[in-house]
Amino acid sequence: EEEEEEEVCFVVEWGASLVVGEFFGGGGVALEEMKFVVRAWSATCQARVGTLYLNGQFPPLETPCLLLSTRKGLPHFITADLLDCLHADARLLQVSPLHFLDNPSSSTLTGVGGIHELLSMPNYGVVAVARDSLACEADAEGSSKLGASFQTPYGRRLVDPVKYMNIINAMQPDMWVSLPDEVPAWVSHKRNKLSVDRTLQWLDHCLSLQSVDGRNALGCVVGGVSIEERRRSSQETAKRDVGEEVLEAVSAGIDAFDSTYPYILTMGGYAMTFPLHIKEATAHNILSENANTGADSTKINLRSVSYRYDASPILDSCRCYSCQKHHKAYIHHLLNTHEMLAQTLLEIHNTHHYLNFFGAIREAVVGNFFTAYKRWFLNLRREIQHMPAAVSQLVP
């Protein structure tokens, strides 16, 4: 017999907001529709593993997953040809519609047939999210009933639902997020309430203006630190006609993550090195390997002179292009001579390692040892932080 479909909620962590959408999971999969199916639940918390079906053009995406941070559709230092061989899970791109306020314009996007045609990347999923944490931050003080305010590279811009949906309709993304009124944690209860009211009004306006598939729309849950307002926001958002620290968020049932962490490390000259599996490393070993290099338990600083003659890869166990083809001394040289290839190689490694981290999380949930995995990971960090100073200064 065919398995009866059940309604499930797909949740994306996006800065201070949550993005909520309703999908239908269960037995069959209609390739022309977007669906989210939960495959496994943790027995001890809300963590879950699921599969997101966007359309029939590319394989389903396993969750929890990472949205790759992009600038107008491409990662900051990774070109399209390198992206193809980056990682099997590198298939979901986060693109901010605010990148297309000026150039290229929405009319240009419409003329070429949408964001997929503009990038010549039909085999990648595109999620349109208003805020870009690196370049287009929400400005709560500048927002009004007319629209949301953002600090962009072009200055402060007020974006109303009409302008926002013009870009969304031109982009034709696989999923898009409605326009939110984001507020910082310190605002009053009255401002939190106003934020929820505006976001719901803008959601209704955005839905009325959409020309893309309504099942691909996601609504924002706002309300700052007010539990009452966030509950009201989520309940009201779920009534609309929308298509509905990492380990802590996974524990709460988050399915997809907006993260600029790999980019920030790349710009600082750091490479991720934290262990991905239980018993893969001990705190003493990590400190011994990283001492006196400006590193910690999660990363190494390849600008350090200690890597000048180090001909070993960033991580011996890593299968990324950077670790397979180059070594620490070469990347150190590129960083200190200000060659852009340094950022390309570092972003490849950092993104690859972070995607492997999400793969390890999915394995832990499916294997029903996610709570133990989370405890091991956090205890390893705490053990290193409380190591005696003499031990923390060990040299290889």
Side-chain angles (χ1 to χ4, degrees):
E1 296 181 3
E2 289 189 2
E3 192 175 335
E4 183 179 354
E5 292 189 346
E6 62 174 339
E7 186 174 345
V8 293
C9 181
F10 180 72
V11 186
V12 183
E13 184 190 47
W14 171 40
S17 303
L18 292 180
V19 179
V20 182
E22 290 179 359
F23 302 98
F24 294 90
V29 177
L31 294 180
E32 297 304 321
E33 296 181 354
M34 181 168 61
K35 290 190 176 186
F36 177 62
V37 181
V38 176
R39 301 297 186 190
W41 290 88
S42 171
T44 55
C45 62
Q46 296 298 312
R48 64 192 185 182
V49 168
T51 304
L52 178 63
Y53 302 88
L54 291 180
N55 58 50
Q57 294 186 1
F58 48 89
L61 299 165
E62 299 299 319
T63 67
C65 65
L66 179 70
L67 305 181
L68 298 187
S69 176
T70 71
R71 179 67 174 162
K72 297 187 178 180
L74 284 174
H76 300 269
F77 300 106
I78 303 177
T79 57
D81 56 331
L82 292 175
L83 188 59
D84 284 336
C85 58
L86 173 64
H87 196 286
D89 295 335
R91 284 291 180 269
L92 202 56
L93 308 175
Q94 177 196 334
V95 183
S96 172
L98 304 185
H99 293 169
F100 302 98
L101 283 172
D102 293 297
N103 185 35
S105 64
S106 56
S107 59
T108 301
L109 277 173
T110 302
V112 298
I115 186 70
H116 290 92
E117 293 296 326
L118 179 70
L119 301 174
S120 297
M121 297 171 63
N123 297 323
Y124 287 81
V126 173
V127 182
V129 181
R131 187 183 57 146
D132 171 5
S133 299
L134 295 173
C136 300
E137 284 282 0
D139 177 20
E141 294 183 358
S143 297
S144 69
K145 63 180 180 180
L146 300 177
S149 179
F150 295 89
Q151 292 288 354
T152 76
Y154 322 107
R156 193 172 75 174
R157 303 294 291 269
L158 189 69
V159 181
D160 60 29
V162 174
K163 183 184 298 183
Y164 184 72
M165 288 309 297
N166 282 340
I167 302 175
I168 291 292
N169 291 332
M171 288 177 64
Q172 302 175 32
D174 298 287
M175 290 192 291
W176 61 274
V177 177
S178 63
L179 188 65
D181 180 21
E182 288 194 274
V183 295
W186 57 83
V187 300
S188 65
H189 178 75
K190 180 179 179 181
R191 181 66 179 88
N192 271 327
K193 184 177 184 301
L194 180 60
S195 167
V196 175
D197 292 337
R198 282 179 180 169
T199 300
L200 292 172
Q201 292 172 6
W202 294 343
L203 172 58
D204 291 333
H205 199 173
C206 287
L207 291 175
S208 69
L209 295 171
Q210 65 181 342
S211 64
V212 294
D213 188 355
R215 285 182 59 86
N216 296 1
L218 300 173
C220 283
V221 176
V222 295
V225 296
S226 171
I227 301 299
E228 176 187 349
E229 289 303 320
R230 294 184 76 85
R231 183 178 296 112
R232 180 170 74 93
S233 178
S234 62
Q235 291 172 348
E236 290 297 321
T237 299
K239 295 177 182 177
R240 266 61 176 182
D241 184 22
V242 294
E244 282 241 4
E245 179 90 3
V246 172
L247 293 176
E248 294 290 349
V250 171
S251 299
I254 306 300
D255 301 302
F257 294 79
D258 157 32
S259 176
T260 57
Y261 184 52
Y263 171 82
I264 292 172
L265 290 189
T266 296
M267 292 304 294
Y270 289 93
M272 292 187 199
T273 56
F274 58 86
L276 300 175
H277 303 285
I278 295 178
K279 297 181 180 179
E280 188 174 87
T282 65
H284 185 276
N285 288 341
I286 292 174
L287 282 174
S288 297
E289 293 170 4
N290 296 341
N292 296 337
T293 63
D296 58 25
S297 63
T298 65
K299 60 187 181 293
I300 59 175
N301 181 5
L302 288 175
R303 294 185 188 275
S304 170
V305 294
S306 62
Y307 297 114
R308 182 182 298 175
Y309 302 111
D310 192 334
S312 64
I314 297 172
L315 276 178
D316 291 331
S317 59
C318 183
R319 308 304 298 172
C320 76
Y321 174 85
S322 301
C323 289
Q324 293 299 302
K325 300 293 185 180
H326 302 289
H327 47 66
K328 295 172 188 171
Y330 180 58
I331 299 176
H332 167 82
H333 161 73
L334 294 175
L335 285 168
N336 285 282
T337 54
H338 306 288
E339 291 284 351
M340 193 175 71
L341 181 58
Q343 282 74 39
T344 300
L345 295 177
L346 277 177
E347 189 175 30
I348 288 174
H349 168 78
N350 287 335
T351 304
H352 188 276
H353 192 72
Y354 212 39
L355 289 168
N356 281 341
F357 178 46
F358 280 85
I361 291 173
R362 292 194 294 270
E363 290 177 8
V365 176
V366 172
N368 202 25
F369 61 92
F370 174 76
T371 300
Y373 179 83
K374 174 183 171 184
R375 187 184 304 115
W376 163 79
F377 192 91
L378 296 179
N379 286 343
L380 182 64
R381 299 287 297 277
R382 295 191 184 104
E383 183 181 350
I384 291 170
Q385 290 172 359
H386 294 90
M387 277 280 190
V391 177
S392 65
Q393 293 177 1
L394 289 173
V395 180

